[in-house]
Amino acid sequence: SYLEIYKENVRDLLEPSDASLSVRESGKRGVFVDGLSQAQVTKEEEVLRCLETGGSSRRVGATQMNAQSSRSHALLTLTLERKGADGSVRVSRLNVADLAGSEKVSRTGAAGETLEEAKGINASLSALSMVISALADG
């Protein structure tokens, strides 16, 4: 699965639409995104195609610092299954986060919509920093 978080909305990047998906939690599944698609792939080329599809659907915008500045955070989840000779299945999950970079508004020349995006990006990165700090402190 591949999702984008943009302005507090979660979007599916493998089946792009403007629909905002809901983050939910259950005892059995833990935290999950309701309605998020998953692509079953078996070859490297299929994984790359998913990355290209998702990457081309991400929100980007131009600033004075970057011609294509990511305006969102993205989360790619790879679930790997390995079948043993005895029929057992071992499952591993790899989550890869691509966070939009912190922006110094005076350097980027952000105004209007881009300024509002920058405020949201900076606020979410600040919140993430506080969570990481709290986890590190125990």
Side-chain angles (χ1 to χ4, degrees):
S1 62
Y2 198 6
L3 65 84
E4 170 184 65
I5 304 170
Y6 174 73
K7 290 184 165 181
E8 306 298 321
N9 292 307
V10 178
R11 259 183 0 116
D12 190 329
L13 291 174
L14 294 180
E15 293 183 11
S17 77
D18 287 333
S20 182
L21 303 175
S22 297
V23 178
R24 304 205 186 280
E25 185 173 10
S26 76
K28 286 185 178 181
R29 293 179 65 185
V31 177
F32 67 98
V33 177
D34 198 21
L36 184 63
S37 67
Q38 294 183 351
Q40 185 171 346
V41 295
T42 57
K43 299 177 184 163
E44 181 181 338
E45 297 82 25
E46 295 170 331
V47 173
L48 292 174
R49 196 171 324 122
C50 288
L51 288 172
E52 289 169 3
T53 298
S56 67
S57 298
R58 286 197 61 191
R59 311 280 177 143
V60 295
T63 68
Q64 289 178 0
M65 293 182 71
N66 293 305
Q68 283 199 315
S69 175
S70 174
R71 312 310 297 158
S72 65
H73 305 306
L75 180 64
L76 172 71
T77 301
L78 298 172
T79 304
L80 309 170
E81 293 184 7
R82 179 176 163 222
K83 296 179 182 174
D86 62 355
S88 64
V89 178
R90 175 176 255 162
V91 178
S92 300
R93 181 167 288 134
L94 174 66
N95 293 299
V96 180
D98 180 12
L99 303 176
S102 176
E103 297 193 353
K104 188 159 183 99
V105 175
S106 62
R107 286 187 173 167
T108 63
E113 182 70 18
T114 306
L115 177 59
E116 294 306 310
E117 290 171 341
K119 288 178 186 177
I121 290 167
N122 290 342
S124 65
L125 290 172
S126 179
L128 178 61
S129 174
M130 291 188 316
V131 168
I132 292 170
S133 181
L135 290 170
D137 291 343

